[in-house]
Amino acid sequence: MIVEKNISASSSFFRLLSCGIVFFGLNSSQPLFAQTKYWIEFKDKSISPLEFKPGNPIFDATIKGFSPRALRRRASVIGSNQSEKLISIEDAPVWSRYLDSLNVLGINIQATSSWANAVSAYLDSAQLRLVRKLFFVSRVSPIATAHHGELTYEEINDPFLSTIKPLTEIPTVLPIPQGYDSIIFHYGLTDTQLTRINVPPLHAMGFDGSGVLLGFLDVGFRWKVMETTKMHNVVAEYDFINHDSLPANDSLDAPDQDGHGSIVLSAATGFFPDTIIGPAYNADLILAKTEDVRSEKPIEEDNYAAGLEWMEKMGVDVTSCSLGYFGFDSEFTSHTYSDMDGRTTVAARAAARSAGLGVLNCSAMGNGGNNSGYPYLITPADADSIISVGALEENDTIANFSSRGPTSDHRIKPEICAPGVKVHTWSNNNSFAAATGTSLATPLISGGCALIKQTHPEASAQAIRNAVMKTGIRTNILPDTAYGYGRLDAYQAALALGTIIGPRRTWRNDSIHYIEVGIAANNHVRFPVIRYSYGVFNSVFNLHLATDSLIYTGTFPTLKRGTHVRYFIETNDGADTLTHSPRNAPDSMFEFNIGDTTIDSHIGVVEGSEISDISIWPNPTRGIFTVQSYLTGATSIRIIDAVGRTMLQYAMPSEIHQLRINVSTYPPGVYELESLSHYSQKVSVQKLIVLP
């Protein structure tokens, strides 16, 4: 059964941020801030924009702080690879002499933003008067807090769940259902919410968020120990509160500091077959811990800005923010509705800036819709060119708590909606949870957008945003200030960007090699074909694909060991638009070798060697890797260390051919991964390298 209860501040740290769950209500022994937090903006960066160019030490140091991925994304937006066009004076760091001057005055800087040319710091009244008189300071303003409200939170105790293994029995191996389309039969509790935003067709075609960098800004993340996230690839993580690389709780945090972020992360990316599946369950992740929940003193709007700036430099594609800001402490004047214009608040300016650089930001509208005093959105949901998210009831009507638009400058908000009532997810206590709020609608949208980005990697953030709005489930009705364009339809949004060709899956049964690929088009798929050749691409053969749904399959002729195959996928649609995968084929092609572990990597996109028995990637690994078996029937997998000890053993049933394995606790070194076919009794061995 499902037991519903209200968690009050006196019994838990759960309270509803105006856009989701927040944690609050420490006991009296918890120290509160003695000063008030302010945002200090500076007049300049010591050089003029004209001086900021290659050869200038500040320019050269600034561009080194960007990842190649970030520069590629900026180049795609700007339309130029010239370094002087990729970054601007806004990207230059705050001048160190200004920081030194504040330090001399005994001011402890908390966060720094290059884009805003500002820092945050706690000031007492005397320091406040002094800082306002400094000639290089342009403005000093208090930092916003969030609205709070009650949260309906559910503990789930259902007989269905008793069939799932206890957590202690699921240590390091997670089986992946065989075949792309089979994942939709393993959604477990998340089936309804994924179906409502029309994610299943994309999952069935093999899209899972792979290759997309999805960022989360929240109160913290206990991802390393949660069953739904512990196998994830976290590219980078940072705690902007305590200034370390630990986004989970540490000794300085409130006991449930990382609760809200963990719930949000699992809703978007959780992977625990037959239990919890998020839309983008295989995306690369970047995590920023930006909110301190120890009191109702100022909550870090400045940390949001700093975190978003950091993510943009890392090359993030999509961000998810289930936080928002509006009020100040009682002695100050709060934000007003007139400030919700996308240009006034620190958070909105940061969101708009990153959107202009090609980042797709998803932000919760807030949960104040039933507040007669202020039913409107909070920042950064007011920012232009982002996706602001409203919450739907289980019957798809707008939730009464979902904050309303428009912005104060009369733009329609929200852009889109998603389920936001009793959303099934996973908590930081490693248990099921069903939670309510625009905080839960937002990760469903950001996860859906990550899938759309994967279907069309070349699509800009604004093209994806427009496709999401164009295909919302109220497009036959004028958008309004409650629903925006309605409920997300992830599949139709992806189709609106053009023909979709999914990832390939190849496998072997004896000497026969098969290929499977998902293909979809707005005007029907016509003449899908694999064009392939052996060795040099001269004599071209056609392998026609057949289907009974979204999945197209074909069979290569019998291939001898050592054969090198190069191929690309080609399809037409009803409008005679030709689409290839890879996009620029035949200049780039997929390729594999039969029964050989070597492969030429100089031509375009490399699918990887199709080893006759098993393949593992990434190898070397620093923790989590995937093993793929090409053997017929059930298979046993064993990892053996250098002295012959069995480190892990797992029996793969016949319907499972892929596993995620976590070896992050293993000592660095060379291991053997052994596979045994129960069908042929054949044993195959590969080397596995674990890096420190």
Side-chain angles (χ1 to χ4, degrees):
M1 62 178 177
I2 297 179
V3 180
E4 183 175 301
K5 62 180 182 179
N6 287 328
I7 306 292
S8 67
S10 61
S11 61
S12 170
F13 293 96
F14 276 110
R15 289 203 73 183
L16 184 65
L17 180 65
S18 52
C19 44
I21 319 161
V22 80
F23 311 91
F24 139 102
L26 292 177
N27 59 44
S28 59
S29 64
Q30 176 68 41
L32 298 179
F33 300 121
Q35 300 167 307
T36 300
K37 202 172 191 184
Y38 291 89
W39 193 240
I40 304 168
E41 299 181 41
F42 303 118
K43 290 181 178 178
D44 58 53
K45 289 192 172 178
S46 79
I47 63 170
S48 71
L50 293 177
E51 296 175 294
F52 190 72
K53 56 187 178 181
N56 180 287
I58 296 177
F59 180 97
D60 294 342
T62 300
I63 201 166
K64 286 180 181 178
F66 287 83
S67 71
R69 180 179 187 135
L71 294 176
R72 287 194 299 270
R73 191 201 58 242
R74 285 193 174 198
S76 68
V77 175
I78 295 168
S80 172
N81 286 312
Q82 297 178 14
S83 61
E84 60 268 34
K85 294 183 179 180
L86 294 180
I87 64 172
S88 69
I89 190 67
E90 289 179 275
D91 298 306
V94 175
W95 196 23
S96 60
R97 289 192 181 181
Y98 293 162
L99 305 181
D100 293 341
S101 297
L102 294 180
N103 288 329
V104 167
L105 295 174
I107 296 169
N108 185 17
I109 295 169
Q110 300 293 304
T112 304
S113 170
S114 298
W115 291 348
N117 195 22
V119 299
S120 63
Y122 289 101
L123 306 176
D124 59 30
S125 57
Q127 289 173 321
L128 176 60
R129 289 193 298 271
L130 183 58
V131 168
R132 280 178 167 159
K133 292 179 180 178
L134 295 175
F135 73 92
F136 54 83
V137 171
S138 63
R139 185 170 69 166
V140 181
S141 54
I143 291 173
T145 63
H147 275 177
H148 299 281
E150 292 302 323
L151 167 69
T152 299
Y153 182 78
E154 296 175 343
E155 289 182 347
I156 303 178
N157 300 296
D158 193 300
F160 158 77
L161 304 179
S162 64
T163 62
I164 297 172
K165 292 181 179 180
L167 301 181
T168 54
E169 296 181 21
I170 313 173
T172 55
V173 179
L174 201 56
I176 302 172
Q178 172 73 352
Y180 288 144
D181 55 347
S182 69
I183 190 67
I184 65 176
F185 302 108
H186 295 270
Y187 283 159
L189 298 172
T190 49
D191 180 81
T192 299
Q193 62 208 43
L194 293 180
T195 300
R196 286 170 66 190
I197 60 174
N198 208 13
V199 158
L202 296 179
H203 279 175
M205 295 174 70
F207 296 105
D208 55 12
S210 295
V212 178
L213 186 54
L214 176 57
F216 291 83
L217 301 104
D218 218 295
V219 299
F221 312 89
R222 204 175 297 185
W223 70 272
K224 291 183 180 179
V225 299
M226 292 163 53
E227 297 300 332
T228 54
T229 58
K230 69 180 185 181
M231 299 290 186
H232 283 6
N233 180 32
V234 175
V235 174
E237 50 190 333
Y238 192 75
D239 180 347
F240 285 84
I241 302 168
N242 301 311
H243 306 289
D244 58 36
S245 297
L246 183 66
N249 278 12
D250 61 28
S251 59
L252 299 175
D253 288 323
D256 213 18
Q257 165 79 39
D258 56 14
H260 178 272
S262 298
I263 286 174
V264 166
L265 183 64
S266 282
T269 70
F271 183 79
F272 195 178
D274 301 314
T275 308
I276 301 291
I277 299 287
Y281 60 86
N282 208 27
D284 298 327
L285 304 178
I286 180 169
L287 308 177
K289 177 181 175 181
T290 62
E291 301 301 314
D292 192 337
V293 305
R294 286 174 289 183
S295 74
E296 288 192 277
K297 290 290 181 179
I299 295 177
E300 283 63 40
E301 186 180 2
D302 59 334
N303 282 348
Y304 168 84
L308 190 56
E309 186 176 325
W310 169 70
M311 287 185 175
E312 193 279 325
K313 288 182 179 179
M314 294 288 293
V316 72
D317 297 306
V318 181
T319 71
S320 187
C321 177
S322 290
L323 305 167
Y325 315 92
F326 188 77
F328 294 123
D329 285 351
S330 57
E331 63 266 35
F332 299 104
T333 303
S334 294
H335 282 319
T336 64
Y337 177 59
S338 64
D339 294 332
M340 301 297 109
D341 59 3
R343 300 182 301 275
T344 299
T345 71
V346 170
R349 281 152 47 197
R353 164 83 174 152
S354 64
L357 297 171
V359 178
L360 181 60
N361 296 306
C362 302
S363 190
M365 281 287 287
N367 293 337
N370 53 5
N371 182 341
S372 58
Y374 187 82
Y376 302 110
L377 76 173
I378 51 179
T379 196
D382 62 315
D384 194 12
S385 303
I386 74 167
I387 294 178
S388 301
V389 181
L392 297 173
E393 294 277 358
E394 293 174 282
N395 63 1
D396 275 346
T397 60
I398 194 70
N400 63 355
F401 60 78
S402 187
S403 292
R404 306 309 204 256
T407 61
S408 62
D409 60 341
H410 310 299
R411 285 175 290 116
I412 289 289
K413 291 284 183 175
E415 274 80 7
I416 206 73
C417 291
V421 174
K422 298 181 181 179
V423 173
H424 288 104
T425 181
W426 196 260
S427 79
N428 58 333
N429 294 321
N430 235 344
S431 60
F432 299 95
T436 293
T438 53
S439 269
L440 281 305
T442 301
L444 293 179
I445 295 294
S446 62
C449 287
L451 290 183
I452 298 167
K453 177 67 175 177
Q454 186 188 2
T455 67
H456 296 280
E458 75 288 348
S460 69
Q462 293 311 302
I464 295 173
R465 177 176 179 266
N466 290 336
V468 164
M469 294 189 293
K470 177 182 177 182
T471 57
I473 310 295
R474 281 175 66 90
T475 50
N476 58 332
I477 306 172
L478 288 176
D480 61 25
T481 58
Y483 293 90
Y485 289 83
R487 174 166 43 86
L488 173 68
D489 188 324
Y491 176 60
Q492 289 299 327
L495 280 178
L497 293 167
T499 297
I500 306 169
I501 301 179
R504 294 85 43 222
R505 188 171 72 90
T506 57
W507 71 97
R508 177 182 65 84
N509 188 356
D510 295 327
S511 60
I512 306 299
H513 285 72
Y514 302 88
I515 187 167
E516 173 183 279
V517 62
I519 306 176
N522 262 321
N523 302 301
H524 307 294
V525 175
R526 299 174 64 230
F527 314 127
V529 65
I530 302 287
R531 302 203 185 278
Y532 71 98
S533 181
Y534 306 125
V536 179
F537 201 76
N538 42 29
S539 298
V540 181
F541 303 91
N542 294 329
L543 172 59
H544 295 281
L545 299 173
T547 185
D548 59 3
S549 60
L550 294 169
I551 309 302
Y552 289 75
T553 57
T555 304
F556 286 99
T558 301
L559 300 174
K560 295 180 180 179
R561 185 177 182 86
T563 302
H564 182 68
V565 181
R566 303 173 66 199
Y567 72 94
F568 64 89
I569 303 165
E570 179 180 284
T571 189
N572 222 322
D573 67 9
D576 284 329
T577 302
L578 198 64
T579 302
H580 290 143
S581 180
R583 295 293 195 201
N584 60 338
D587 293 334
S588 293
M589 284 183 287
F590 305 115
E591 56 182 323
F592 63 88
N593 293 334
I594 302 303
D596 193 351
T597 59
T598 61
I599 191 163
D600 296 329
S601 59
H602 64 280
I603 26 176
V605 180
V606 178
E607 182 171 70
S609 180
E610 179 155 325
I611 300 164
S612 290
D613 301 310
I614 57 172
S615 61
I616 49 181
W617 71 91
N619 186 19
T621 180
R622 282 188 167 83
I624 298 166
F625 70 96
T626 300
V627 56
Q628 172 79 45
S629 170
Y630 300 102
L631 295 166
T632 301
T635 306
S636 291
I637 296 292
R638 192 161 66 113
I639 296 178
I640 307 165
D641 70 7
V643 296
R645 293 177 300 185
T646 297
M647 305 294 291
L648 179 147
Q649 190 161 350
Y650 187 83
M652 299 170 63
S654 59
E655 70 273 12
I656 299 294
H657 285 232
Q658 199 174 95
L659 299 172
R660 284 181 184 171
I661 299 178
N662 188 346
V663 293
S664 59
T665 60
Y666 290 18
V670 179
Y671 296 80
E672 289 185 345
L673 191 145
E674 176 189 273
S675 65
L676 167 66
S677 169
H678 296 192
Y679 172 77
S680 66
Q681 294 300 303
K682 181 178 180 181
V683 176
S684 298
V685 178
Q686 278 205 74
K687 291 190 181 300
L688 169 69
I689 301 173
V690 177
L691 299 175

